[in-house]
């Protein structure tokens, strides 16, 4: 199984400190799966991973490897990796990205650690729109489409 996991937001927080639950998730998935790490800067992130004693990762894919990242670089990064080979699911902390991935039919694991996550993305936030409802709506939409699809029995 091939898993894509974002370094930022899953393995480390905005202050570059490791998120222990994300590290546990990485090591658990790594036991039996191929885990490809998605990052912003390959050299800096490789150094950070080595400091965290993650030396034998399967691959580290940075934004500069992705052609035409555009205005949605994380989404484009996932799409580019998928164009290179099969991906079973993506692990991200971003509910907006999760919704976009689900809309594209990509299985997504939303890693939500309330200690580290940006308040704007939390379901109980008092500011901004509640992104969680958008995710729920997209899941319901996908389930309805699958139920109505005659190819799926």
């Amino acid at each position: 199984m091939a898993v894509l996991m974002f370094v930022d937001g899953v393995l480390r927080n905005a202050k570059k400190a490791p998120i222990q639950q994300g590290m546990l998730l990485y090591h658990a998935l790594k036991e039996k799966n191929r885990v490809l790490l998605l990052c912003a800067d390959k050299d800096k992130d490789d150094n950070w991973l080595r400091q965290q004693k993650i030396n034998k990762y399967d691959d580290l894919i940075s934004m500069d490897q992705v052609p035409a990242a555009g205005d949605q670089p994380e989404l484009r990064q996932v799409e580019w990796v998928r164009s290179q080979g099969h991906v079973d699911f993506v692990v991200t902390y971003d509910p907006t990205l999760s919704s976009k991935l689900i809309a594209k039919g990509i299985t997504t694991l939303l890693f939500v650690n309330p200690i580290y996550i940006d308040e704007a993305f939390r379901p109980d936030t008092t500011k901004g729109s509640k992104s969680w409802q958008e995710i729920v709506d997209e899941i319901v939409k996908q389930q309805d489409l699958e139920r109505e699809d005659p190819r799926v029995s």
Side-chain angles (χ1 to χ4, degrees):
M1 191 177 327
V3 178
L4 299 182
M5 180 180 285
F6 283 89
V7 172
D8 290 322
V10 179
L11 297 180
R12 71 174 173 208
N13 65 17
K15 295 181 180 180
K16 308 288 187 210
I19 301 172
Q20 293 307 313
Q21 295 84 353
M23 292 293 199
L24 289 171
L25 178 62
Y26 169 79
H27 289 295
L29 290 171
K30 183 76 177 100
E31 281 290 317
K32 303 265 182 189
N33 305 291
R34 187 166 179 246
V35 180
L36 307 169
L37 298 173
L38 304 177
C39 67
D41 184 309
K42 192 169 189 166
D43 293 333
K44 289 179 182 177
D45 292 332
D46 175 63
N47 185 43
W48 184 87
L49 289 166
R50 290 180 189 285
Q51 290 172 354
Q52 307 311 313
K53 307 220 180 343
I54 298 177
N55 300 319
K56 296 182 181 178
Y57 50 79
D58 293 313
D59 202 355
L60 184 61
I61 300 153
S62 66
M63 288 290 184
D64 61 357
Q65 292 175 260
V66 179
D71 60 341
Q72 299 177 348
E74 291 86 6
L75 179 61
R76 181 69 185 112
Q77 194 175 24
V78 172
E79 289 173 334
W80 183 77
V81 174
R82 283 186 71 215
S83 75
Q84 306 301 306
H86 180 72
V87 172
D88 291 289
F89 67 93
V90 177
V91 183
T92 181
Y93 78 100
D94 184 348
T96 304
L97 178 61
S98 294
S99 180
K100 291 174 184 173
L101 293 172
I102 291 167
K104 289 186 173 286
I106 301 170
T107 303
T108 305
L109 175 64
L110 182 60
F111 178 81
V112 182
N113 187 325
I115 295 171
Y116 297 112
I117 196 161
D118 184 349
E119 183 186 355
F121 295 136
R122 290 181 54 166
D124 63 342
T125 186
T126 57
K127 62 181 184 180
S129 64
K130 296 197 182 239
S131 299
W132 186 254
Q133 187 57 45
E134 293 174 23
I135 294 171
V136 171
D137 292 344
E138 184 60 39
I139 291 171
V140 169
K141 177 184 166 193
Q142 292 291 322
Q143 289 171 340
D144 290 344
L145 289 172
E146 184 175 353
R147 233 185 328 249
E148 295 168 5
D149 191 344
R151 299 171 295 174
V152 179
S153 53

